[in-house]
Amino acid sequence: MLLTFARQFGAEHILAGTIPAVGTSRKEQLSNVVLDYWPAEWIQRYFTHGYIFRDPAILGVRTLNAPFLWDDIEPLYRNNPARRIMEEAGDFKLRQGFTIPMMTLEGDIAGFSLAGERLEVSPEERQMLTLMATYALARSLVLRQSEPKRIVNLTPRELEALQWAAEGMSEWEVGERMGISEHG
């Protein structure tokens, strides 16, 4: 819904998540992504090359308190590696963006970015997008935390009982087959 709304400003992509510590593995970096509607090829390149640690938008998330357009942070990417990241992002139709720095209730730094070929967002619209993005990220983090993370290890006997049940046997038939009570 947020992307549908943001399309009127030229946004075609959304990416949001918490910012990993410098030096974390690619897998750990990817686990921090909470909302991802970014070009898949760009995500692959971005995290494979560790761009997150040189990305000027991420530097902006770490150092600025207010939402910003990527054009506003141009001084942060005057050096070659940062400029190259921004130019490569443009190759994936991520030429202009609007990023909102945030902090989670746990104190983690987070960011929310909208991007497209060309964004046109007034100051009033930035405030509205910031409010919506804040809610979207917060809600996504809550939903993510409520996902079951525990892996259940079943015994061989439990797996056997489930297999018989999956094949359509009743509890009584499973019990008879396994030599246990219907309740067991």
Side-chain angles (χ1 to χ4, degrees):
M1 182 170 133
L2 179 58
L3 184 57
T4 302
F5 178 76
R7 282 194 168 115
Q8 67 183 303
F9 309 110
E12 291 294 326
H13 303 282
I14 290 177
L15 186 71
T18 55
I19 308 302
V22 174
T24 57
S25 71
R26 179 179 182 274
K27 183 178 178 182
E28 290 170 311
Q29 293 169 35
L30 285 166
S31 73
N32 286 33
V33 174
V34 177
L35 295 172
D36 176 12
Y37 193 76
W38 225 236
E41 300 84 19
W42 175 241
I43 288 286
Q44 174 71 23
R45 180 184 300 185
Y46 186 88
F47 288 106
T48 298
H49 295 294
Y51 285 173
I52 194 165
F53 304 119
R54 298 184 309 272
D55 183 341
I58 299 299
L59 179 59
V61 167
R62 290 182 186 276
T63 60
L64 302 173
N65 294 324
F68 56 89
L69 292 170
W70 293 353
D71 291 343
D72 297 339
I73 61 165
E74 195 271 335
L76 295 177
Y77 56 92
R78 286 197 176 131
N79 69 47
N80 284 340
R83 177 164 301 289
R84 193 177 93 224
I85 291 169
M86 297 306 279
E87 288 172 356
E88 286 183 38
D91 294 342
F92 292 90
K93 300 186 183 212
L94 303 169
R95 294 192 191 288
Q96 294 185 330
F98 177 62
T99 297
I100 302 126
M102 298 183 215
M103 186 164 291
T104 69
L105 293 174
E106 293 79 23
D108 296 324
I109 297 171
F112 191 108
S113 289
L114 301 161
E117 286 279 340
R118 181 169 163 79
L119 293 184
E120 292 185 29
V121 187
S122 72
E124 295 80 22
E125 293 163 339
R126 291 179 201 180
Q127 291 175 351
M128 185 174 33
L129 286 170
T130 299
L131 179 63
M132 293 176 75
T134 302
Y135 178 79
L137 180 63
R139 187 70 184 132
S140 297
L141 288 168
V142 167
L143 289 173
R144 185 180 209 194
Q145 289 172 352
S146 66
E147 291 177 3
K149 293 180 182 169
R150 191 174 63 115
I151 296 174
V152 177
N153 293 315
L154 300 175
T155 67
R157 295 274 289 168
E158 290 168 328
L159 286 171
E160 181 183 357
L162 284 174
Q163 181 63 44
W164 293 126
E167 291 183 19
M169 287 188 179
S170 70
E171 292 172 358
W172 181 84
E173 291 170 319
V174 171
E176 285 293 307
R177 170 76 51 121
M178 295 180 67
I180 57 175
S181 72
E182 181 178 340
H183 177 72

